[in-house]
Amino acid sequence: MSQYYPIDGTPSLVSPDISLENSQPSNVLKLGVMASGNGSNFEVVAQAIQAGKLNAQIQVLIYNNPTAKAAERAANHGVKAVLLNHRDYKKREDLDREIVKTFNQHDVELVIMAGWMRLVTQELIDAFPDKIINIHPSLLPSFKGVRAVEQALETGVKITGCTVHLLRLEMDSGPIIMQAAVPVLPDDTAETLHARIQIQEHRILPLAIASLADR
């Protein structure tokens, strides 16, 4: 594992120990991103691509919340954003079929769930087998679901972190690709701990994408 010190000086551990420099895909990887809110993970992937650190291209962003800031971020990077409001679909399967259709129209190879706050169905998973990744703010399998940071604080663990994993039907499950461990400090609140975890999310997500490129 590699030790890393972010701006605030708090150490973290990242595993596996790889870098973007030695794990670049041989061909441009065509990404589809799903987001429901602020879109900070979309932003970090787009910036890694723009800086030449990740040999990929975001083909399209799908967002389900009309007020999601992720759509604004996509526009700033010249990425097409498609609103698929989940409220317009009677069944989750109907929404997922439309997601699959949209990704296929844009020639997407790898799907990145970057803060997608909806459960998905087998319709989406079967369309992109082992090609959908999710990022979650805990060291899975601990603290699945919502309020993962709050769960960590309530339980009193001394170490938490974030996980990038392949998507499976069961919520926050599937083979783990990469994790970053973050210490819980005595005076942490949900806000301060989440902020430090998010630093690590932004660190490992581009690495995890690159590691999957030639699978």
Side-chain angles (χ1 to χ4, degrees), residues 9 11 13 16 19 25 34 37 41 43 84 95 146 165 198 206 213 215:
L13 292 174
S19 68
M34 301 166 64
N41 282 316
E43 183 71 29
L84 297 180
L95 170 61
V146 297
H165 64 98
Q198 195 168 59
R215 284 193 181 185

Side-chain angles (χ1 to χ4, degrees), residues 23 37-38 40 46 50 68 84 90 101 112 144 175 197 203 208:
S23 60
N38 183 50
S40 65
Q50 188 174 9
L84 297 180
K90 292 182 178 180
K101 178 181 176 182
I112 315 300
K144 296 182 178 183
I197 291 173
R203 175 173 168 78

Side-chain angles (χ1 to χ4, degrees), residues 29 39 70 78 128 147 160 170 174 178 180 186 188 211 215:
L29 186 60
F128 294 93
R147 300 183 69 254
T160 185
E170 180 185 347
M178 182 170 287
D188 262 331
S211 74
R215 284 193 181 185

Side-chain angles (χ1 to χ4, degrees), residues 23-29 55 131 209-215:
S23 60
Q24 282 297 313
S26 54
N27 298 309
V28 176
L29 186 60
N55 189 22
K131 292 295 183 180
I209 293 170
S211 74
L212 289 177
D214 293 322
R215 284 193 181 185

Side-chain angles (χ1 to χ4, degrees), residues 33-37 41 61-65 82-86 92 95-96 99 103 111-121 124 133-135 167 172:
V33 180
M34 301 166 64
S36 296
N41 282 316
L61 165 75
I62 292 177
Y63 64 109
N64 66 308
N65 183 352
V82 176
L83 173 62
L84 297 180
N85 192 332
H86 62 274
R92 293 183 188 272
L95 170 61
D96 283 1
I99 291 172
F103 281 152
V111 176
I112 315 300
M113 296 181 69
W116 181 258
M117 303 305 292
R118 303 290 299 173
L119 292 174
V120 303
T121 70
L124 179 59
I133 68 174
N134 182 50
I135 188 160
L167 192 70
D172 297 326

Side-chain angles (χ1 to χ4, degrees), residues 34-73:
M34 301 166 64
S36 296
N38 183 50
S40 65
N41 282 316
F42 170 92
E43 183 71 29
V44 75
V45 174
Q47 288 180 355
I49 294 170
Q50 188 174 9
K53 296 179 179 179
L54 181 61
N55 189 22
Q57 179 175 315
I58 302 176
Q59 303 290 95
V60 63
L61 165 75
I62 292 177
Y63 64 109
N64 66 308
N65 183 352
T67 62
K69 189 177 179 181
E72 179 182 334
R73 293 181 186 271

